[in-house]
Amino acid sequence: MTPNGPPLLSVEHLHIAFPLGGWPKRRTLHAVRDVSFNVARGSIVALVGESGSGKSTIGRAIARLQAARSGAIRLDGVDVLQTEPRAASIAYRRRVQLIFQDPFASLNPVHPIGHPIARALLLQDRATPQTVAAQVERVLESVGLTPAADMAARFPYALSGGQRQRAAIARALAVEPDLIVADEPTSMLDVSIRMDVLALFRRIRDEGSRSVVLITHDLASARIVADRVVVLYAGQVMEDGPAESVLSHPQHPYSQLLAAAAQRGGGLREPLPAHPGAPEVIDPGPGCPFAPRCLKATATCQSTPPPTVSVRSDHLVRCHLAESA
Ligand SMILES: Nc1ncnc2c1ncn2[C@@H]1O[C@H](COP(=O)(O)OP(=O)(O)OP(=O)(O)O)[C@@H](O)[C@H]1O
Ligand SMILES: [Mg+2]
């Protein structure tokens, strides 16, 4: 699918840093560095990368739950980092919903799961006290939580992990947002339910002009639903392009390792055939963040920031070794 027109969401040169303790010098963790990507209307963009690559931090920033040091996050052209947070929050939440990585932490244990859905519908003027119960049931049915009347009255502790995750998805869907940021929404689901939830995201995209940012470890999920894939390492974009192009013809050595691991069925949970190490986000060197682990790295990769190279139509790679189209 090739959606046209200006993007719904545009992340531009986003930099998010966390001050850390330390002595004699206080240190800073750079969780997200110079990240840019677009989300077209009616599309699904997958953010993929290893643990600690900054995916959730970017998702929280898009949902306005995380401040940024610099950069812009434009929704329909308006930089949400520059708007007053409180005044706009209900209106913003109508348009952008975050599904948290940990559904247990995000569902309030003292309320049955129908409660936050009803509350969101009423707060956003999408239901009246007369219609709200039926609407809650419809939303729960749409994510396969049936019988819906019984499910609506259940407390989070009485649901399985997968059911809880679907309850969190239902709550986000209830207000029919323009953009859903879904942080690992299928990580606790077994394969058949995972396919159902991915199909649900596809339906959301296809039915309207709604968009999804899908944060995932799992390249197989990205392949099933994503229109674009953005590969992150140590808080930086390594590769960004149409899903088919990135997944079938990965150009960055890091994406190539991820794609090969996914083909073997191991996903990101198995060690990559790279030099051992972890993303360095506290004292990143001057060069490519992946260089210390890259089997193909040269002296230049270690010492010089990589250029952004256009390798195919609409497909960018940040690598000294990439050849431009
Ligand atoms: N509030 C915080 N204070 C300090 N460091 C933080 C904070 N939030 C995140 N980080 C750090 O930022 C980096 C990116 O974290 P983030 O949660 O975005 O990674 P992730 O890609 O979502 O990883 P995972 O796949 O494990 O969920 C990590 O090194 C993390 O420890
Ligand atoms: Mg995360």
Side-chain angles (χ1 to χ4, degrees):
M1 136 181 255
T2 50
N4 295 317
L8 173 67
L9 183 85
S10 167
V11 174
E12 297 168 7
H13 306 292
L14 188 67
H15 190 129
I16 299 174
F18 298 106
L20 301 175
W23 189 87
K25 196 168 140 236
R26 290 177 72 87
R27 296 187 305 165
T28 304
L29 187 154
H30 299 274
V32 176
R33 283 193 289 159
D34 195 20
V35 164
S36 300
F37 64 92
N38 287 336
V39 179
R41 233 167 279 277
S43 75
I44 300 179
V45 173
L47 297 185
V48 301
E50 269 168 291
S51 186
S53 54
K55 307 180 296 294
S56 295
T57 306
I58 295 170
R60 283 201 308 274
I62 295 171
R64 301 188 62 171
L65 299 175
Q66 170 67 59
R69 175 179 276 199
S70 59
I73 297 176
R74 295 185 199 282
L75 187 72
D76 277 331
V78 177
D79 183 3
V80 304
L81 297 176
Q82 301 301 328
T83 53
E84 210 275 302
R86 280 185 180 275
S89 69
I90 290 184
Y92 193 70
R93 266 185 268 136
R94 183 195 300 258
R95 300 200 61 199
V96 178
Q97 283 279 319
L98 174 65
I99 299 170
F100 287 90
Q101 184 160 6
D102 177 355
F104 213 6
S106 68
L107 292 171
N108 190 334
V110 304
H111 291 306
I113 60 160
H115 179 271
I117 300 174
R119 195 164 170 274
L121 288 168
L122 292 168
L123 195 67
Q124 301 280 2
D125 290 328
R126 293 194 171 253
T128 64
Q130 290 74 38
T131 63
V132 72
Q135 281 174 263
V136 168
E137 287 176 28
R138 257 206 310 280
V139 176
L140 291 173
E141 272 162 16
S142 77
V143 297
L145 286 174
T146 52
D150 166 67
M151 285 292 179
R154 283 213 216 166
F155 287 83
Y157 73 83
L159 299 176
S160 71
Q163 288 172 329
R164 249 178 256 140
Q165 211 150 18
R166 278 185 281 165
I169 293 170
R171 188 179 57 181
L173 291 180
V175 298
E176 300 185 13
D178 296 329
L179 177 69
I180 295 172
V181 180
D183 194 351
E184 305 275 8
T186 60
S187 58
M188 290 171 77
L189 306 179
D190 55 37
V191 172
S192 65
I193 304 173
R194 178 176 303 184
M195 295 304 283
D196 287 349
V197 169
L198 292 174
L200 183 68
F201 285 126
R202 243 193 333 226
R203 209 173 69 218
I204 294 165
R205 173 195 63 191
D206 294 344
E207 276 175 0
S209 55
R210 285 189 275 167
S211 307
V212 180
V213 173
L214 177 72
I215 293 173
T216 180
H217 271 93
D218 177 24
L219 257 65
S221 299
R223 186 181 283 281
I224 293 167
V225 294
D227 300 295
R228 286 188 80 79
V229 170
V230 178
V231 179
L232 293 159
Y233 186 82
Q236 292 194 34
V237 175
M238 300 287 100
E239 187 152 0
D240 172 11
E244 167 60 21
S245 191
V246 173
L247 297 173
S248 300
H249 307 281
Q251 300 293 310
H252 196 285
Y254 178 60
S255 324
Q256 288 169 352
L257 291 177
L258 295 186
Q263 250 169 18
R264 289 194 301 275
L268 291 182
R269 313 242 180 240
E270 75 171 30
L272 294 173
H275 293 304
E280 177 56 70
V281 285
I282 298 177
D283 284 313
C288 171
F290 188 60
R293 293 179 64 195
C294 184
L295 299 178
K296 300 177 181 169
T298 64
T300 311
C301 300
Q302 307 277 2
S303 63
T304 314
T308 301
V309 181
S310 174
V311 287
R312 292 166 138 231
S313 160
D314 207 15
H315 180 162
L316 302 172
V317 180
R318 245 188 187 171
C319 179
H320 285 289
L321 308 174
E323 285 175 24
S324 85

